[in-house]
Structures are given as structure tokens and as C-alpha cells.
């Protein structure tokens, strides 16, 4: 499967590297879709097991948000790495190795958003 | 859904050949509306489940009325109706703009992850797994209907 050796193309920019799992972008996207399916199916079980105070719909929107955050990535190896991390999170959630607080951390409930405009930053004391 | 089955009951009651089990059917028809439970499901319309509780297929041969516990047979029409029903329930789709030939990405402006969600809803509705390699090609409701008809051996 990982058969391409590390070679440097003579012409210049293109570098052939060893892939992590998928050889091209389509395979990487397929892995992303599989991971999304697994998460989508897992959310109602998570809400029930951890006795979370959110609805299934909110949970699924949060999953979609986390996936959309990395929508712009095009490198297959980066996508594979993100899929691996997503699978790790999924495993920890399914086996209840996490706790309620770890799952609710995704929702940033008690964090204040950082100030963006000049006056708020000034009042808080941040450098502009 | 229940209305259609009741119609079927009335029609079969009218046929003289089914006189033997007409009494049975009338009892069933009375029970059927009580038995169908409508559970509010947010996205997945599990019309299959309500049909389980309504009475099963009546043998049209007319000699014996064997009531096997089976779903009514799929036709292209029913598949299309169920697919469109599920799609209309999806909140990211505008039900007025939806047609059988509307492309999910180009016409309805959906994402690839939205398309995954739609295919998962179809899996839940029809009760069989659709592998991702084939699921990524299903981009219009028409294609979904064709795929399900292929898998379930429905033809006309």
C-alpha cells in the first residue's frame, strides 16, 4: 500500500512522499465520510450514555462544525492525520473512557470569547 | 398510510371470493387505526415501522387468508414516494424546489456531508446498508430510487 519512495522530482516543485493511509484526495475524502457516518450514528448513544443536557440535533451540529473547521485542507496526509485523531476521539467516546466534562468541552460553555475590536481589547488590557 | 390499508381492506371485503375471512378482516380493520403509533422522529421518517404494526399482505388467490408477518412488496412508485417523503423532512432542503431530478450539490446547494446524511437517512428508511463507494455517486433522488430498486430487485 505505501509503496512510493521518497524521491525529489528533477523539474522542481512536486515532491513525492510516503502516504499515511490514502494515496490520493478521493480516498482521503472517503475516509472522512466514513468517520462522519460513524460520528453521526454515535451521537445519540453518547447523549444517552453520558446523560448530556444537549439534544441530539445540537450534538450533530457540533460534529458538523468540527468537520467544517477543516474543510479547506487539501493535503491527503494532513487529512489522514485529522481522520486518525477523529477516530481516536470516537473510540474514547464510544468506550466511555472520556467523561461528561471532556465531551462538553467541545461546546466551550464557560469560556468567554476573546475580544476582537480595539476598545474591548483596551478595556481588558490586551495589546491591540 | 393507514388509510391506504383500510381502503385495501374495504376492497377485499367487497370481493365475494374472500367471504371466508371477511370477518377476520373487519376485526383487523377496526384494530389497525388504534395500533399505528406515530412517533415524532426528527429527521428519519421510519414509515416502515408503522407498517409493521398494520396488518400484513392478504393472499389475493382468495382461497386462504394467510397473514404472514411481512412488509407489502416494494414498487418503484412506493420507493419514490418514500424517498421524496424523507427528503422533504430534511431541514436543509426546500420542499418546493425538490424534484426527482434535482441534483443535491448543484440544484439544492448541499454539501458532501449533507449528502452523506441523506444517504444515511435512506439506509434507516429502507433498512439495508449502502456502502460508501456507491453512496458517493448517488447525487439525485432519481439515482437513489434506481439504486434501491436494483438492490431490492424491483422492476416493472
Amino acid at each position: 500500500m505505501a509503496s512510493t519512495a521518497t524521491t525529489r522530482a528533477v523539474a522542481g516543485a512536486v515532491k513525492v512522499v510516503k502516504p499515511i493511509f490514502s494515496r490520493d484526495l478521493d480516498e482521503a475524502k472517503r475516509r472522512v465520510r466514513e468517520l462522519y457516518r460513524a460520528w453521526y450514528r454515535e451521537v445519540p448513544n453518547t447523549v444517552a450514555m453520558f446523560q448530556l443536557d444537549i439534544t441530539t440535533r445540537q450534538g450533530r451540529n457540533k460534529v458538523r462544525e468540527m468537520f467544517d473547521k477543516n474543510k479547506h485542507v487539501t493535503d491527503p496526509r494532513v487529512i489522514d492525520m485529522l481522520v486518525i485523531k477523529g477516530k481516536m476521539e470516537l473510540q474514547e467516546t464510544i468506550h466511555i473512557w472520556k467523561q461528561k466534562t471532556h465531551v462538553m468541552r467541545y461546546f466551550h460553555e464557560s469560556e468567554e470569547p476573546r475580544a476582537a475590536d480595539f476598545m474591548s481589547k483596551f478595556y481588558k488590557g490586551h495589546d491591540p | 398510510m393507514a388509510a391506504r390499508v383500510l381502503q385495501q381492506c374495504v376492497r377485499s371485503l367487497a370481493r365475494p371470493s374472500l367471504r371466508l375471512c371477511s370477518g377476520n378482516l373487519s376485526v383487523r380493520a377496526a384494530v389497525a387505526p388504534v395500533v399505528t403509533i406515530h412517533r415524532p422522529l426528527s429527521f428519519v421518517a421510519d414509515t416502515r415501522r408503522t407498517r409493521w404494526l398494520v396488518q400484513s399482505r392478504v393472499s389475493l388467490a382468495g382461497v386462504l387468508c394467510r397473514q404472514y408477518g411481512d412488509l407489502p412488496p416494494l414498487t418503484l412508485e412506493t420507493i419514490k414516494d418514500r424517498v421524496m417523503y424523507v427528503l422533504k423532512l430534511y431541514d436543509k432542503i426546500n420542499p418546493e424546489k425538490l424534484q426527482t431530478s434535482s441534483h443535491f450539490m448543484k440544484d439544492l446547494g448541499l454539501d458532501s456531508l449533507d449528502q452523506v446524511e441523506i444517504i444515511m437517512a435512506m439506509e434507516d428508511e429502507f433498512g439495508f446498508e449502502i456502502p460508501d463507494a456507491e453512496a458517493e455517486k448517488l447525487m439525485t433522488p432519481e439515482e437513489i430510487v434506481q439504486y434501491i430498486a436494483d438492490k431490492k430487485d424491483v422492476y416493472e
Side-chain angles (χ1 to χ4, degrees):
Chain A
M1 170 116 186
S3 57
T4 52
T6 317
T7 56
R8 202 173 283 271
V10 179
V14 178
K15 191 166 124 179
V16 177
V17 290
K18 194 168 85 161
I20 297 183
F21 278 138
S22 37
R23 274 167 286 190
D24 52 2
L25 195 55
D26 286 327
E27 262 189 72
K29 287 194 173 171
R30 192 170 300 166
R31 284 181 208 280
V32 171
R33 278 193 291 262
E34 291 288 347
L35 182 67
Y36 184 74
R37 273 188 193 224
W39 267 111
Y40 190 89
R41 289 257 156 84
E42 182 53 32
V43 166
N45 302 337
T46 303
V47 168
M49 286 293 207
F50 289 91
Q51 297 174 345
L52 302 175
D53 294 322
I54 56 168
T55 61
T56 307
R57 188 177 284 253
Q58 281 175 302
R60 285 187 169 148
N61 289 343
K62 178 54 77 173
V63 170
R64 173 63 76 94
E65 194 189 308
M66 304 302 288
F67 273 79
D68 282 341
K69 235 197 288 184
N70 299 318
K71 207 159 52 159
H72 54 87
V73 180
T74 54
D75 188 1
R77 301 200 309 157
V78 176
I79 295 177
D80 282 341
M81 209 58 227
L82 292 168
V83 164
I84 287 168
K85 295 183 75 159
K87 279 189 184 170
M88 290 200 281
E89 299 280 321
L90 182 64
Q91 188 182 30
E92 288 167 13
T93 310
I94 290 178
H95 291 288
I96 322 189
W97 297 337
K98 285 193 192 226
Q99 284 156 348
K100 191 189 222 178
T101 169
H102 301 117
V103 177
M104 290 312 285
R105 232 164 256 185
Y106 287 113
F107 290 85
H108 303 296
E109 278 176 345
S110 52
E111 285 174 34
E112 260 180 40
R114 199 177 164 92
D117 57 323
F118 176 78
M119 282 315 290
S120 320
K121 280 200 244 180
F122 182 75
Y123 291 141
K124 277 214 186 138
H126 296 141
D127 288 331
Chain B
M1 213 71 246
R4 238 186 277 167
V5 179
L6 284 174
Q7 270 180 16
Q8 207 181 358
C9 291
V10 169
R11 253 185 268 130
S12 49
L13 272 173
R15 270 191 232 119
S17 57
L18 288 174
R19 226 175 298 134
L20 280 171
C21 43
S22 67
N24 205 357
L25 280 174
S26 60
V27 168
R28 285 270 177 161
V31 167
V34 177
V35 163
T36 50
I37 303 166
H38 280 289
R39 266 190 263 156
L41 293 171
S42 57
F43 170 47
V44 173
D46 215 349
T47 55
R48 213 167 50 97
R49 241 184 249 158
T50 58
R51 230 177 281 131
W52 275 112
L53 305 170
V54 181
Q55 68 158 295
S56 48
R57 187 177 22 189
V58 174
S59 147
L60 292 177
V63 183
L64 291 169
C65 302
R66 292 286 197 91
Q67 320 264 359
Y68 294 119
D70 197 7
L71 294 169
L74 286 175
T75 60
L76 281 179
E77 268 304 307
T78 58
I79 296 177
K80 191 172 88 71
D81 287 337
R82 282 162 77 178
V83 166
M84 297 309 277
Y85 183 61
V86 171
L87 285 176
K88 286 196 175 95
L89 286 177
Y90 190 37
D91 54 355
K92 289 193 193 171
I93 295 184
N94 191 359
E96 279 103 51
K97 277 207 258 176
L98 181 67
Q99 275 150 29
T100 44
S101 57
S102 43
H103 197 268
F104 291 137
M105 306 238 188
K106 294 184 210 154
D107 297 333
L108 301 170
L110 295 177
D111 207 2
S112 58
L113 292 180
D114 291 324
Q115 195 253 346
V116 171
E117 282 186 26
I118 289 172
I119 298 295
M120 277 200 274
M122 296 302 153
E123 281 184 6
D124 291 337
E125 170 71 22
F126 291 95
F128 68 97
E129 281 278 327
I130 302 178
D132 193 52
E134 299 171 23
E136 62 187 3
K137 301 189 194 107
L138 303 174
M139 282 294 168
T140 71
E142 185 60 44
E143 283 179 20
I144 296 177
V145 170
Q146 281 301 318
Y147 180 81
I148 294 172
D150 286 338
K151 285 291 163 182
K152 292 281 183 181
D153 286 333
V154 177
Y155 48 86
E156 281 184 9

